[in-house]
Every structure is written in structure tokens, then in C-alpha cells.
Amino acid sequence: MSIDTGAYGSMTALGRPLRPKRALVALLLLAFAVVPGGFGALTRELMVDAYLQVSAFVAATLLLFYGSERVFRYNIGEALSRARSAQVPLAALMGATPGCGGAVVVVAAYSSGHVSFGAVVATLTATMGDAAFLLIATRPDVAAVVLPLSFTVGVLSGWLIDTLRLAPPLSGKSEDGHLVPLIGQVRRRDMVFLAAAVPGLVMGITQLTGADIGAIYGEMPVLVVGLAGTAIGLAIWATSPLQAMTNSADAPVTRMAEETSFISVWVIGAYLAYDYLAAYGGLDLEAMFATVAPLLPLIGIVIGFVPGCGPQVLVTTLYINGLIPFSALLGNAISNDGDALFPAIAINPRAAVLATVYSAVPALIMAYGFYFLAPGFLN
């Protein structure tokens, strides 16, 4: 039984739209996870890490933002639109919030025409993504310096972009809240996704403290939660009628499940791409950081261009272990856009690339400023 659904192909008897290309990607990722031997084991480990280190935190922050919208009866995008001169600082503040949820919300607001391109640059420059959780947990003294600096740089960058009118034209694919398909009622899959995200968040927070979650919760429960959450997210993404962002009229739990699932696919891809290269292609970031000292801030900034939070968490880990200087950490914190870059790429690739390029300028200035003027600062 099938029903014509236009661009979305056919529908199953359950009424879920089939997205053939997405379904193929989801099945391919799941197939990688069940391959016997080291390859399958590595894939499963990376999927669990991606879920516990990123997806669970994205889900929590999105649910916090969207839930507050519903409880207090306001729309963040419209509130930012009315903020006018305060729009850029508010966007930067949302980006500076640990995790990627705040930055994702600003990107969604830009796609519907509620905020300026300067606000997008501000939030992407200010965000440190999920690496902020790790830094706060292990080096709160450094976090107290990096996060305010990133916020300040984000605000100044956003104002400068808007003043100079450097914004690209909005893509014709802009997803205005009135045009995005309305899902309507809370679905069973949304609640199942939430049920997996709760223990995933608990495990993820525990892992940020440096504890061995396998020893605390058991290897099998950690594996089950990580893989179950990943599989549920892939299923939601593969049957979603949405391109990237959700309709503001949908329930917070539905918006959280849909947008987290979309981001998670990109995160899994980034994790797999990096670690496959490390395991089978000889990529060694620690060796890169062990090269000529003056290149360290630049390497940190370049790694910040990589979408997602995995490489950024690694850079933070290298700093915590004393392998790179503060200047490299700061350059990475300013240049990296976290998981918010994924929906930005899907909605408006040109704007996403330009925002990343613009964030590189203050990253270079700040990183090399600290490198030459305060080489031993917080090292």
C-alpha cells in the first residue's frame, strides 16, 4: 500500500513518509555497525560516543529552549526579531550557552527571516559547542575566561557584519515557520526518543567528569542506550517530512526529536570520517600539534572549521592534558561552530560558509594575540 506524497516519495501503511536517500544512508550506517571484527566494533563505539557526547546534550538544550517557549508562551525567533539593537548580543549569549541548542535556535530564526546574518555570525563565533561542558567540568577557571571572551568577540563580530552589510542573500529554500510542514500531535517515536535521551544525558554528564561510565553503569547498558538512541534517531530522520528545522507550532518534544535526529546524522558522519581516517588513514592530530610551535594556534583554528563537536572536544582534551597552549584552545573555541553548522549548511550553504570564514578573522587575531603577547597565560 502506498500513497503519493510528492517530493517525499511514497508512504508506508503506517503513514510515515519514505525518504529513499535518507533511508539508504541510515541502513548503510547501521550496516557498518554490525560488520564483524574491528571495523564494526569501532563503528559501534563511535556511534555510542556521538550519542552520549553530543546528541543527548543537543536534545536537552533544544528541549530546554523549545519547552520554555511553550511554557512562557513566546517565540524565540520573534523575540529576537523585536530585540533590534540587542539582537546580536542575545544571539551571542545563546551561542555561548554550553552545548549547541542555543546556536541551532538562532540558525533556525535566521532561516525564517527573524534575525540578521550578523546574529548568526555572533552565535556561531560565541559557541564552543559541547566542548564547553568538558572545559567547565575539568577547568572551570579556563572556562571563566574562554566563554566570556568568545561571547564578546561574537558580539563585536556580529555588529561589524551588520554594519558593513556583509550578509549573503537568503536562500530560496528558506524555511519560514509557516511553510515548514506541521507534524501536529506528539508521536510515539518522539516519546521513545526522549526516553532514550534521558539516560543518555545522565551517562554523558558522568563521562564529562572523566569517570569510566562502563565501570559505573556497565558496558552493556551504555552500549544499549547509545545504539538504541542512535537507531531511533536514524529512523526518525529517515521518515521525516522535514528538511532540517521544525515548525514552531509543533510540540517541544517533537521539535527536539526531529532536530536532534537531523543533527545526529551529521555528527555520526563527522565522528566516523575522523576516526576512520585516524584508524585506517594514519591521521594523527596529536602529531600535528607536536609540530612547530607557532603553527599550534593556526591548527586549532583550522580544526574549528570542521563541523560538529567531536574534533573540538579533542582539542579541549589536548589542552587539558597540556599538549597545546591556551592560544590554540581559544582560536578553536572562536572558529568552531559546533553542531549548529549542520542545519546552517542544509538551509543556506553559502551563508554557512561565509559565517565560518568571517569567524576565522577574530579567531586568528585573538589566538595569535595571546600567543605572542601572553604565551604562558593559563598554560
Side-chain angles (χ1 to χ4, degrees):
M1 173 180 176
S2 65
I3 306 174
D4 182 31
T5 57
Y8 298 111
S10 61
M11 295 184 69
T12 66
L14 295 177
R16 300 179 182 179
L18 290 175
R19 303 292 292 269
K21 292 181 180 179
R22 290 189 178 190
L24 180 61
V25 171
L27 290 174
L28 188 62
L29 290 173
L30 293 175
F32 285 172
V34 298
V35 171
F39 183 84
L42 175 62
T43 302
R44 291 190 294 274
E45 179 184 349
L46 293 173
M47 286 182 171
V48 171
D49 286 345
Y51 186 75
L52 299 183
Q53 294 174 3
V54 179
S55 299
F57 288 100
V58 171
T61 50
L62 287 179
L63 191 59
L64 175 64
F65 280 111
Y66 293 146
S68 66
E69 279 189 320
R70 183 60 59 91
V71 171
F72 298 106
R73 298 182 180 179
Y74 75 100
N75 181 284
I76 292 178
E78 293 177 357
L80 287 171
S81 180
R82 292 192 298 268
R84 297 185 179 179
S85 60
Q87 184 181 103
V88 167
L90 288 174
L93 182 62
M94 292 178 68
T97 304
C100 299
V104 170
V105 171
V106 174
V107 169
Y110 173 71
S111 74
S112 57
H114 286 305
V115 301
S116 67
F117 184 63
V120 174
V121 173
T123 199
L124 294 180
T125 300
T127 189
M128 194 179 176
D130 296 318
F133 290 114
L134 176 60
L135 193 63
I136 292 170
T138 56
R139 289 293 304 272
D141 58 324
V142 178
V145 175
V146 172
L147 297 181
L149 275 177
S150 297
F151 167 76
T152 302
V153 171
V155 172
L156 295 176
S157 299
W159 277 341
L160 184 62
I161 293 298
D162 282 346
T163 300
L164 298 179
R165 299 182 179 180
L166 298 177
L170 269 175
S171 169
K173 297 180 180 179
S174 175
E175 294 192 32
D176 183 80
H178 298 293
L179 300 178
V180 177
L182 177 67
I183 292 174
Q185 61 184 2
V186 175
R187 306 161 301 182
R188 183 179 302 173
R189 74 192 88 164
D190 302 328
M191 300 307 298
V192 172
F193 188 87
L194 177 61
V198 171
L201 180 63
V202 173
M203 293 177 180
I205 293 174
T206 304
Q207 191 175 45
L208 281 179
T209 66
D212 183 352
I213 57 175
I216 295 175
Y217 302 108
E219 296 290 346
M220 186 56 66
V222 170
L223 183 66
V224 169
V225 169
L227 292 182
T230 298
I232 296 167
L234 287 173
I236 290 175
W237 175 73
T239 59
S240 174
L242 308 178
Q243 175 64 22
M245 312 309 292
T246 54
N247 191 305
S248 59
D250 273 318
V253 67
T254 298
R255 301 185 69 188
M256 175 274 296
E258 284 284 344
E259 293 183 17
T260 302
S261 297
F262 169 81
I263 292 172
S264 295
V265 174
W266 287 80
V267 172
I268 291 170
Y271 267 59
L272 295 181
Y274 168 74
D275 278 271
Y276 285 167
L277 283 174
Y280 305 110
L283 177 65
D284 189 344
L285 282 186
E286 290 191 30
M288 290 173 60
F289 278 117
T291 58
V292 182
L295 293 179
L296 294 179
L298 179 61
I299 295 174
I301 291 168
V302 171
I303 292 176
F305 295 158
V306 180
C309 294
Q312 325 315 333
V313 170
L314 175 59
V315 170
T316 303
T317 302
L318 292 174
Y319 169 77
I320 292 168
N321 292 327
L323 297 175
I324 61 173
F326 174 79
S327 56
L329 173 72
L330 182 61
N332 176 266
I334 293 174
S335 70
N336 99 68
D337 300 327
D339 298 319
L341 191 60
F342 293 132
I345 292 172
I347 294 169
N348 193 327
R350 182 181 177 186
V353 171
L354 278 179
T356 300
V357 171
Y358 290 153
S359 70
V361 177
L364 285 167
I365 294 172
M366 295 297 294
Y368 277 100
F370 273 92
Y371 181 81
F372 288 115
L373 301 178
F377 186 72
L378 290 178
N379 289 338

